[in-house]
Amino acid sequence: MARKPWSFKEDRRLMELAKSSTSLEEAAKQLGRSPDAIKRMALRLGLSLKSKATKKG
């Protein structure tokens, strides 16, 4: 499957989601991309997103 290029608008949205502590899975759903794609772009942008699966409690 070919990767769809990220738009500036999507980059900004991902930054907003990361700031608001949105989970990796939720960000993927909102942006219509795979969790892996979100993870890659977050790393590239220097953002940190937590996965629901790794939550402790």
Side-chain angles (χ1 to χ4, degrees):
M1 194 162 95
R3 292 184 191 169
K4 187 175 105 184
W6 283 70
S7 69
F8 179 74
K9 193 175 180 180
E10 288 174 309
D11 290 351
R12 300 298 300 172
R13 182 70 182 133
L14 182 56
M15 288 179 203
E16 289 169 12
L17 292 170
K19 275 186 194 173
S20 64
S21 300
T22 303
S23 73
L24 180 67
E25 293 82 0
E26 184 59 31
K29 193 163 47 170
Q30 287 192 31
L31 288 167
R33 293 185 179 263
S34 71
D36 280 344
I38 298 296
K39 205 182 295 184
R40 273 194 304 274
M41 185 51 77
L43 279 172
R44 194 174 294 161
L45 295 171
L47 304 171
S48 178
L49 286 164
K50 301 288 183 247
S51 174
K52 283 181 185 172
T54 59
K55 272 189 180 172
K56 293 178 182 174

